[in-house]
Amino acid sequence: MSAKTAVLLLQMGGPDSIDAVQPFLTNLFSDRDIIRIGPAFLQPLIARIIARRRAPKVEGYYEQIGGKSPIRELTDAQARALEEQLGEEYRCFVAMRYWHPSTIEALAAIRKEGINRIIALSLYPHYSRATTGSSFNELKRVLAEAGVQFQVSTIDRFYDHPRYIDALAEKIREGIEQFHPLADVEILFSAHSLPQSFIDGGDPYLAHIEETVRLVMERFGTITHHLAFQSRAGPVKWLEPSTEAMLEHLAAHGSKNLLVVPLSFVSDHIETLYEIDIQYAKEAFKLGYAKFWRSGSLNASPAFIDCLADLVRGCEK
């Protein structure tokens, strides 16, 4: 066996074509770590029905951002940059929860390289059972079914890692530079929402989000900031306020210059490229904002790759 260590980057994934939207949604709605629809044996069938109904609308969103999600290419770029920074003792692989390469495909690639030591690194900074929890549960299932012995270590959160905070702060500074020096800029952190029932059940996601905001704002103490939540779906109660409601609230109270900071996302995907850049930008224009801007996603920024490398090296100690 190879003496190298495999770093397995765990990410949500996204459809790589318009035709992939419906099967991607089916995989998503089949995941009982995110949503439980009826008895377990019926959920795959119900998921297919829901995906078929939702697909046309979602396909329209993807058509506006180039016909696919860029998350595969962006995660591959993160993997390449991380491998280069870590050096010859490491090989980096990608596993997407709801699309390709799947967890089983990634493990097969690791096995083919003759590597038996894996560090599974979640690319969700803030732990939730709906995201990191689901990815690690899938990893455990695949490992159990494969019957192959790997030595596995896990990194399941980094919401307060100093280098992650550095990377976010760098992007926020770049965003602020897009405004006039005399503009009264406010920051709106927009995190992916989660059903309130998850938090009530002990999920630490909200506490992690709030701590990230606190640590980042230690660098920008004089700037007014807000936190809101996007991408809710379904009739249950979700975390509040929604980003849409916050945009309306701030406009009604005289805000004119708004920098939106995507939180809980480390790569560009539909929530940044469509939901913020197109949907919320149009709403901001209607509400009368003078300037509405989104800070750049981390993607493969050197500061973020430095954070990931530090996490991996720390796991080896």
Side-chain angles (χ1 to χ4, degrees):
M1 300 296 286
S2 172
K4 292 187 178 184
T5 296
V7 179
L8 182 60
L9 300 179
L10 303 176
Q11 181 58 282
M12 178 179 183
D16 51 16
S17 68
I18 295 299
D19 289 341
V21 170
Q22 186 171 321
F24 170 80
L25 292 175
T26 299
N27 292 340
L28 180 69
F29 288 116
S30 297
D31 183 3
R32 290 179 73 80
D33 286 325
I34 288 184
I35 184 171
R36 300 200 169 197
I37 314 170
F41 75 93
L42 277 179
Q43 183 151 338
L45 173 61
I46 299 171
R48 286 195 293 273
I49 294 170
I50 295 172
R52 187 164 59 247
R53 290 175 178 172
R54 290 177 62 98
K57 177 189 260 187
V58 178
E59 288 168 3
Y61 300 157
Y62 278 105
E63 286 171 351
Q64 294 183 61
I65 63 169
K68 65 175 184 176
S69 170
I71 201 166
R72 169 68 187 275
E73 291 84 355
L74 293 172
T75 309
D76 284 346
Q78 290 167 337
R80 289 192 301 270
L82 179 58
E83 186 173 294
E84 182 176 348
Q85 180 144 336
L86 289 172
E88 296 181 356
E89 296 180 359
Y90 296 87
R91 288 274 286 110
C92 293
F93 301 82
V94 171
M96 298 299 191
R97 181 64 184 88
Y98 305 114
W99 204 236
H100 304 293
S102 65
T103 303
I104 193 168
E105 290 168 338
L107 289 177
I110 293 171
R111 178 70 173 174
K112 187 176 180 180
E113 293 279 339
I115 300 172
N116 68 351
R117 164 96 170 106
I118 299 174
I119 297 175
L121 170 54
S122 168
L123 289 178
Y124 304 102
H126 314 85
Y127 182 90
S128 172
R129 67 178 174 87
T131 51
T132 299
S134 177
S135 288
F136 280 125
N137 285 341
E138 176 71 0
L139 178 60
K140 290 175 186 175
R141 282 191 294 268
V142 172
L143 287 170
E145 293 170 2
V148 179
Q149 295 299 313
F150 289 101
Q151 180 186 350
V152 182
S153 301
T154 60
I155 301 168
D156 67 359
R157 66 198 71 188
F158 52 92
Y159 65 95
D160 58 351
H161 192 286
R163 298 186 188 187
Y164 169 60
I165 303 302
D166 288 343
L168 276 177
E170 178 181 82
K171 292 297 182 182
I172 292 172
R173 289 190 192 96
E174 292 172 358
I176 291 173
E177 289 175 357
Q178 302 302 313
F179 293 81
H180 190 280
L182 299 180
D184 186 11
V185 181
E186 297 183 39
I187 295 174
L188 173 58
F189 292 94
S190 186
H192 199 290
S193 196
L194 197 68
Q196 181 65 46
S197 61
F198 281 51
I199 307 304
D200 296 341
D203 196 291
Y205 175 77
L206 177 58
H208 289 180
I209 288 288
E210 291 174 338
E211 180 64 3
T212 294
V213 171
R214 186 189 71 80
L215 291 170
V216 168
M217 289 310 300
E218 286 182 349
R219 319 283 181 92
F220 303 94
T222 60
I223 299 179
T224 300
H225 72 282
H226 316 272
L227 172 62
F229 300 90
Q230 66 179 91
S231 311
R232 59 168 293 165
V236 300
K237 181 176 175 58
W238 290 69
L239 292 175
E240 295 179 337
S242 69
T243 301
E244 300 97 316
M246 182 60 77
L247 289 175
E248 293 177 6
H249 171 80
L250 294 177
H253 288 76
S255 298
K256 289 296 181 183
N257 296 283
L258 194 63
L259 176 67
V260 179
V261 178
L263 205 56
S264 67
F265 315 122
V266 300
S267 303
D268 278 316
H269 56 318
I270 195 168
E271 279 87 356
T272 59
L273 299 175
Y274 174 76
E275 202 165 355
I276 297 177
D277 290 357
I278 297 176
Q279 181 182 341
Y280 296 156
K282 287 180 179 177
E283 184 64 19
F285 177 77
K286 292 177 184 177
L287 291 169
Y289 285 91
K291 190 174 182 68
F292 175 92
W293 196 263
R294 173 176 65 86
S295 65
S297 296
L298 298 178
N299 293 326
S301 76
F304 180 55
I305 299 304
D306 191 46
C307 168
L308 297 182
D310 195 62
L311 288 165
V312 170
R313 293 187 184 111
C315 193
E316 297 276 52
K317 293 178 182 177

